[in-house]
Amino acid sequence: MKKTSYKMEAKVWLYPGINPWHFISIPKKKAEEIRKNFGSRHRGWSSLPVIVQIGKTIWKTSIFYERRSGTYILPLKSEVRKKEDIFKGDKISFLIQIKV
């Protein structure tokens, strides 16, 4: 049976623009494992549906495979960042469960 839950740590970064977004890049080793096990299930924009937990906040979203960096990125909604007091540059722990 394939592992579907991944606990990890990563830094929050900001994608600049008129309406900037905060993201987390999945550590490469975890990204390689996720892609190997679930890459065949990618949806549009190479996305995979996931359930994420940061602190006490749990939500449904998607992670997106980014070919240039060779990893998945996780967008962080402002609602989640406010609830969990998360800012650019913070190193945070989180849990991702791939929805299969």
Side-chain angles (χ1 to χ4, degrees):
M1 188 163 138
K2 293 178 186 176
K3 179 179 174 181
T4 60
S5 293
Y6 300 87
K7 187 172 183 170
M8 57 195 101
E9 284 187 341
K11 267 190 174 180
V12 177
W13 56 275
L14 187 67
Y15 183 85
I18 295 171
N19 295 311
W21 270 83
H22 290 75
F23 289 92
I24 298 172
S25 294
I26 304 300
K28 286 203 179 195
K29 285 188 179 186
K30 300 280 187 182
E32 288 170 6
E33 186 178 342
I34 292 169
R35 186 164 164 82
K36 178 183 169 192
N37 291 330
F38 301 101
S40 65
R41 296 181 183 211
H42 280 170
R43 295 180 177 176
W45 295 298
S46 297
S47 67
L48 284 173
V50 295
I51 299 171
V52 180
Q53 180 173 359
I54 298 176
K56 295 181 181 181
T57 306
I58 300 170
W59 78 102
K60 293 178 184 178
T61 188
S62 293
I63 55 176
F64 300 86
Y65 188 72
E66 191 178 63
R67 291 182 195 276
R68 264 187 260 165
S69 64
T71 191
Y72 288 92
I73 58 173
L74 167 67
L76 292 176
K77 301 184 330 181
S78 62
E79 176 185 328
V80 172
R81 289 185 291 107
K82 287 176 187 172
K83 283 183 183 178
E84 296 297 332
D85 201 29
I86 297 170
F87 298 92
K88 173 187 167 192
D90 289 351
K91 187 171 188 177
I92 60 170
S93 296
F94 58 103
L95 178 71
I96 287 182
Q97 181 180 0
I98 309 297
K99 291 174 61 179
V100 290

